[in-house]
Amino acid sequence: MPHLVHSAIAFGDRPAIHDATGTVTYAALHAHAARVATALLCDTDDLHEARVAVLVTPGAAWVAAMWGVWAAGGIAVPLSPQHPPAEWTYALDDADATALVVDAALHDAIAPVAQARALHVTMVETTDAPRTRLPLIGAERRAMMLYTSGTTGRPKGVVHTHGTLAAQIASLIDAWAWTAADHTLLVLPLHHVHGIVNVTCCALAVGAQLTMHARFDASSTWALLQTRRLTCLHAVPTIWARLLAAYDAMSPDEQRQSRAAVAALRLIVSGSAALPVLVLERWRALSGHTLLERYGMTEIGMALSNPLHGMRVPGHVGMPLPGVEVRAVDDDGHPVAPGVPGALEVRGPGVMREYWRRDADTRAAFRDGWFRTGDVGVLEDTAGGKSWRLLGRQSTDILKTGGYKVSALEIEDAVREHEAVAECAVVGLPDEQWGERVAVAVELRAQASLTLDELRAFLKPRIAPYKIPSALVTPESLPRNAMGKVLKPAVRALFGSA
Ligand code: MCA
Ligand code: AMP
């Protein structure tokens, strides 16, 4: 059994997960994972890195499904219940998945897709008697693939091994002092590193308690904060802003209770997108905590973090986490001096193994063993000592909305499929709530018309909800340079005047 799963045995009858179905102990979780592994293995001894999609509602069963895939020697490909089937089929086909673990609630939605691909379907509720012998899984074996948008075409599968995941988890346990006394809350989606590694895996690796919500909701999060003795919380800036808005709508008495609840936490961590300093200041006033901002990426896990102890500098993301090296380089790939902005590169045991079956992309993503993040940053002297500040991304075609990375090019491809569209350009508009909002400028075909509602309805079955534009303009022609290339800054300006 892989280390991540096996270590749970040590925590025995301690409570592991609280979810909508009740409380599950570590021993029960471990036994459930062994049942899933047994069902997946059928008559074989080892899945030998077969790709197994996991479509299970966030909760203890989701963990059992992932651990079951790992224990059986498969590569887990977590899918989002919020995605339309078209996103699932893309991941299933690209990963060349042969099996699926699904729960009863989501089974019917994916059944046609699974049947068409002859996937071996395992219900996570399986009651198969678990076998006693499961394969030995080394750290070098592939464990998980997450789909992430990039600057080229459709999302790529980022492959992490048992070893890279273990390194990411160990680094965060060390830096943020996770212990078995912790109790955290999962409100993040489980098809990305933030929810999977930073929250779920870290909590379970130390024997802590994890309360899991199927999805984020501000009022139930506040209610839980008041009733459970949580110790730490991890989320994206949009969630911090949503919680502030819900707090503002409370009665003075509820506000007092809410303030006391968050003041009692030991740690609040923000990441996945830039934390607006105003949001940080409001949380400081409300909770007495300076949110700890950190920086990471699907391909590398977490790289930079403000300190657990010591001064956290607003607008900065701190210094490299244990085991991680970070440098900034110029256009020629030469490291730049502190104070000089450069392209951020990261090296360490948590960095991905590869993009699934995309050798050229994998090669292009590394320079001399350093992973090229595409983010630009600068190492500065601050009141709290040296700290990195992020300055943006090298590509304007990568957007961050609600903490999700989305590719303008991928959305443009989907929009172009609409019969009214001759050409289009997707840009991100700065937005207080979402960080950036997806917006599209469309050049219409002759005589055609298109409203935002029509476009959104067209895209809904095709792409994830957070990729769907929430603003549309239809200029006669898109702004282009002399070579005919669409000028994204000028496209963005079209919305200013709209
Ligand atoms: C949803 N809506 C949006 C967006 N998303 N509108 C504009 N922009 C968006 N991005 C709209 C919906 O269409 C809907 O509108 C309404 O908002 C509510 O939708 P819903 O899906 O219910 O939204 P939500 O559930 O409230 O979502 C907000 C959220 C979510 C909870 C903040 O975006 C979220 O979970 N974000 C976290 C993503 C994350 O974990 N990223 C980590 C990846 P209508 O009602 O009109 O239909 S990055 C990572 O892992 C790296 C390693 C790192 O550094 O962490
Ligand atoms: P993803 O590929 O979805 O894992 O998103 C990774 C990207 O999120 C990074 O390359 C950054 O652009 C962005 N990101 C993560 N954390 C932060 C942060 N604290 N501030 C600004 N951007 C961030």
Side-chain angles (χ1 to χ4, degrees):
M1 263 205 182
H3 177 71
L4 272 175
V5 182
H6 191 65
S7 61
I9 288 183
F11 305 121
D13 288 330
R14 291 173 55 86
I17 293 174
H18 311 278
D19 66 10
T21 64
T23 295
V24 176
T25 64
Y26 276 92
L29 199 55
H30 193 265
H32 190 170
R35 288 199 298 276
V36 173
T38 302
L40 279 168
L41 282 166
C42 289
D43 306 329
T44 57
D45 290 333
D46 189 329
L47 290 183
H48 294 296
E49 299 191 344
R51 276 71 58 210
V52 184
V54 171
L55 183 65
V56 176
T57 309
W62 184 89
V63 174
M66 293 291 287
W67 283 9
V69 176
W70 289 342
I75 305 178
V77 187
L79 304 178
S80 167
Q82 260 89 56
H83 282 182
E87 293 266 10
W88 297 336
T89 56
Y90 174 76
L92 289 168
D93 292 344
D94 186 82
D96 194 7
T98 52
L100 166 75
V101 186
V102 66
D103 65 18
L106 291 161
H107 175 267
D108 290 356
I110 199 168
V113 166
Q115 269 159 21
R117 284 158 186 77
L119 297 183
H120 173 252
V121 176
T122 292
M123 298 305 297
V124 75
E125 296 88 355
T126 173
T127 51
D128 283 12
R131 55 160 94 182
T132 45
R133 283 180 69 110
L134 288 164
L136 283 173
I137 310 290
E140 74 295 343
R141 289 266 297 253
R142 295 175 179 84
M144 182 168 78
M145 265 171 67
L146 300 178
Y147 276 85
T148 188
S149 296
T151 46
T152 49
R154 300 224 51 194
K156 297 192 272 287
V158 172
V159 178
H160 280 292
T161 64
H162 288 272
T164 61
L165 288 178
Q168 291 177 22
I169 295 164
S171 175
L172 295 185
I173 290 173
D174 181 5
W176 299 341
W178 279 94
T179 71
D182 276 313
H183 183 168
T184 196
L185 173 66
L186 175 97
V187 290
L188 293 163
L190 285 172
H191 60 301
H192 283 298
V193 162
H194 199 166
I196 297 173
V197 176
N198 297 24
V199 181
T200 306
C201 290
C202 282
L204 299 176
V206 294
Q209 294 182 63
L210 175 66
T211 291
M212 297 177 86
H213 267 199
R215 57 191 300 181
F216 171 71
D217 163 71
S219 54
S220 54
T221 301
W222 275 118
L224 259 175
L225 277 161
Q226 287 170 14
T227 50
R228 292 259 161 91
R229 284 173 179 268
L230 299 178
T231 60
C232 53
L233 208 51
H234 301 250
V236 300
T238 302
I239 290 182
W240 303 125
R242 288 268 186 97
L243 288 171
L244 285 175
Y247 171 87
D248 289 340
M250 289 175 189
S251 69
D253 199 42
E254 282 176 311
Q255 287 189 338
R256 193 181 41 74
Q257 286 175 35
S258 297
R259 281 199 305 273
V262 282
L265 296 169
R266 75 168 181 88
L267 178 64
I268 312 180
V269 182
S270 181
S272 301
L275 175 65
V277 174
L278 258 179
V279 174
L280 177 143
E281 296 296 355
R282 280 219 57 202
W283 267 92
R284 181 144 62 189
L286 193 157
S287 66
H289 288 275
T290 302
L291 267 58
L292 182 155
E293 187 169 8
R294 56 63 183 175
Y295 157 80
M297 194 173 181
T298 305
E299 289 89 333
I300 58 174
M302 297 302 110
L304 297 166
S305 171
N306 272 285
L308 179 64
H309 306 294
M311 193 174 179
R312 299 174 194 164
V313 188
H316 286 71
V317 287
M319 293 298 283
L321 281 153
V324 183
E325 291 174 88
V326 177
R327 68 179 192 180
V329 300
D330 62 19
D331 290 346
D332 300 323
H334 302 305
V336 297
V340 179
L344 290 186
E345 298 189 343
V346 174
R347 192 162 71 171
V351 174
M352 72 164 186
R353 167 150 173 176
E354 67 203 346
Y355 291 118
W356 179 249
R357 291 184 180 166
R358 290 173 201 264
D359 292 343
D361 289 325
T362 304
R363 272 196 304 278
F366 288 90
R367 190 200 317 261
D368 304 332
W370 291 80
F371 178 78
R372 308 164 73 175
T373 64
D375 291 304
V376 179
V378 58
L379 182 61
E380 294 183 329
D381 284 314
T382 71
K386 287 208 180 309
S387 187
W388 287 91
R389 186 160 63 90
L390 297 172
L391 302 172
R393 291 196 60 89
Q394 288 175 305
S395 166
T396 53
D397 286 326
I398 296 290
L399 281 53
K400 266 273 160 163
T401 179
Y404 286 112
K405 181 157 96 173
V406 302
S407 156
L409 308 182
E410 184 193 351
I411 300 169
E412 286 162 6
D413 282 345
V415 172
R416 269 188 215 106
E417 282 177 31
H418 193 288
E419 58 184 10
V421 176
E423 192 42 284
C424 68
V426 165
V427 291
L429 304 180
D431 186 271
E432 239 176 59
Q433 184 182 184
W434 299 105
E436 282 182 295
R437 213 149 61 90
V438 179
V440 63
V442 170
E443 229 175 77
L444 293 170
R445 289 192 189 283
Q447 317 298 330
S449 69
L450 182 65
T451 65
L452 179 61
D453 283 347
E454 286 165 356
L455 180 63
R456 287 174 63 87
F458 173 79
L459 293 174
K460 208 167 164 220
R462 291 174 164 78
I463 52 177
Y466 45 85
K467 297 177 185 171
I468 297 177
S470 59
L472 166 73
V473 289
T474 52
E476 236 162 62
S477 57
L478 294 173
R480 297 173 192 274
N481 66 12
M483 311 289 290
K485 186 175 179 302
V486 174
L487 297 163
K488 292 272 169 124
V491 171
R492 211 170 285 124
L494 293 174
F495 293 88
S497 57

